[in-house]
């Protein structure tokens, strides 16, 4: 698991980001949350995270000062900044200083997931350069990835992570992610979301089922999150979709 520290003086923002990381199913764990730059600095020194997600403006020490101090002291971590539109110039300055990426408020799941997936790809690429992965015969590889897709098809309504699947088949996360996309044409998270949404569309035809029931049946235990995901996928809410049937 990759370790993440979140630094933000607005507690609800940090809580939301932590929840999105958990929902992503990606191998990241939030190991610390700090309400200001000074405490974030001490926390990074203590837990040595892989990624620091920090607000640009915080009391005590702002995000730019925090990143500069950590990088000057040799901490090999990636910094992702959170900023408002009014702070956009600060975000661009952060990138010039060596930040990994930035997210505008309010933080959207898609943007955060894309950053996390890019981080995994970079880490896996570096790992291959220093620790060559054993080459698999193409027929064995194809057989293995088909078995994994079959497992996903059986378990997509459960809490299933790319990390667990990779551990179960002896592949690196980055390699498995690439194989799944090659096989399905979609990323791991996109594939699962598509399966769940197609099920939801069928279940919405059954008037005896409430939308809350349907959300739970397809693997979403948060009604509002399901509604948001469905609207993003279909361009309309579940209730509107049902009304148009």
């Amino acid at each position: 698991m990759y370790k993440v520290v979140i630094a933000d003086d607005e507690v609800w923002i940090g809580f939301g980001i932590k929840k999105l990381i958990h929902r992503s199913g990606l191998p990241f764990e939030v190991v610390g949350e700090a309400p200001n730059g000074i405490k974030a600095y001490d926390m990074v020194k203590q837990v040595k995270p892989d990624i620091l997600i920090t607000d640009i403006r915080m009391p005590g020490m702002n995000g730019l000062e925090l990143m500069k101090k950590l990088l000057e002291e040799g901490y090999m971590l990636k910094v992702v900044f959170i900023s408002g539109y009014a702070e956009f110039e600060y975000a661009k300055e952060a990138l010039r200083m060596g930040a990994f990426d930035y997210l505008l408020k309010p933080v959207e799941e898609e943007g955060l997931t894309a950053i996390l997936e890019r981080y995994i790809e970079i880490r896996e690429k570096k790992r291959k350069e220093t620790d060559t992965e054993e080459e698999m015969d193409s027929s064995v590889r194809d057989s293995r990835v088909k078995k994994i897709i079959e497992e996903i098809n059986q378990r997509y309504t459960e809490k299933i992570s790319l990390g667990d699947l990779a551990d179960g088949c002896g592949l690196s996360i980055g390699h498995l992610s690439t194989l799944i996309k090659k096989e399905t044409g979609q990323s791991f998270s996109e594939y699962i979301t598509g399966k769940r949404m197609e099920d939801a569309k069928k279940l919405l035809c059954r008037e005896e089922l409430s939308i809350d029931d349907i959300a739970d049946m397809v693997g979403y235990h948060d009604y509002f999150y399901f509604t948001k995901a469905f609207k993003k996928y279909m361009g309309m809410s579940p209730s509107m979709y049902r009304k148009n049937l």
Side-chain angles (χ1 to χ4, degrees):
M1 297 287 281
Y2 298 115
K3 297 186 290 185
V4 179
V5 163
I6 299 171
D8 200 301
D9 58 322
E10 297 180 89
V11 176
W12 64 273
I13 291 180
F15 176 78
I17 292 172
K18 183 177 180 179
K19 194 171 183 180
L20 291 179
I21 290 173
H22 179 71
R23 281 177 175 168
S24 73
L26 296 171
F28 292 88
E29 178 185 7
V30 176
V31 295
E33 298 173 71
N36 59 58
I38 294 172
K39 289 190 176 180
Y41 171 72
D42 292 335
M43 189 172 291
V44 168
K45 289 174 63 178
Q46 180 182 355
V47 303
K48 296 179 175 58
D50 300 289
I51 293 181
L52 168 65
I53 300 177
T54 177
D55 198 352
I56 281 187
R57 291 193 176 184
M58 290 185 296
M61 183 190 303
N62 69 40
L64 294 176
E65 293 169 336
L66 174 60
M67 181 180 75
K68 184 178 179 182
K69 188 173 180 65
L70 289 169
L71 295 182
E72 284 176 350
E73 294 181 12
Y75 285 91
M76 303 298 290
L77 80 169
K78 297 297 184 185
V79 181
V80 176
F81 281 100
I82 313 162
S83 72
Y85 284 103
E87 302 152 352
F88 186 60
E89 289 302 317
Y90 288 98
K92 290 195 291 187
E93 176 62 20
L95 292 177
R96 287 193 289 269
M97 289 173 60
F100 185 66
D101 215 323
Y102 70 92
L103 291 160
L104 290 175
K105 300 176 184 176
V107 175
E108 294 288 340
E109 181 179 16
E110 185 176 0
L112 177 59
T113 299
I115 288 174
L116 298 179
E117 288 179 340
R118 183 162 69 87
Y119 177 81
I120 291 172
E121 289 175 7
I122 291 171
R123 283 291 296 263
E124 291 299 330
K125 183 178 179 181
K126 287 182 178 179
R127 183 181 299 176
K128 287 176 185 177
E129 290 172 355
T130 57
D131 183 21
T132 305
E133 198 169 6
E134 181 182 349
E135 292 292 333
M136 290 189 298
D137 177 81
S138 61
S139 61
V140 174
R141 181 195 63 209
D142 292 344
S143 173
R144 191 173 295 188
V145 74
K146 280 181 170 56
K147 185 176 180 182
I148 291 166
I149 297 298
E150 183 180 337
E151 182 176 354
I152 294 173
N153 289 342
Q154 292 173 349
R155 298 179 54 206
Y156 62 88
T157 60
E158 304 173 17
K159 183 181 176 183
I160 179 172
S161 76
L162 191 59
D164 289 340
L165 290 171
D167 289 343
C169 65
L171 293 174
S172 68
I173 292 167
H175 194 181
L176 179 56
S177 178
T178 299
L179 290 175
I180 289 173
K181 189 157 190 176
K182 185 177 179 181
E183 181 72 17
T184 66
Q186 298 174 298
S187 70
F188 171 71
S189 57
E190 288 171 341
Y191 185 72
I192 286 182
T193 298
K195 297 285 290 182
R196 289 176 170 183
M197 292 300 125
E198 291 304 314
D199 273 4
K201 285 164 61 179
K202 294 174 185 175
L203 291 169
L204 283 165
C205 297
R206 296 173 55 184
E207 291 291 340
E208 75 273 15
L209 295 175
S210 70
I211 292 176
D212 197 31
D213 289 337
I214 292 169
D216 194 61
M217 290 169 73
V218 299
Y220 293 94
H221 305 302
D222 182 324
Y223 170 84
F224 296 103
Y225 181 64
F226 165 70
T227 300
K228 183 178 178 181
F230 189 91
K231 189 172 183 179
K232 182 178 178 181
Y233 185 81
M234 288 299 299
M236 65 181 75
S237 67
S239 57
M240 182 61 69
Y241 180 84
R242 171 173 271 174
K243 189 178 292 186
N244 290 337
L245 289 173

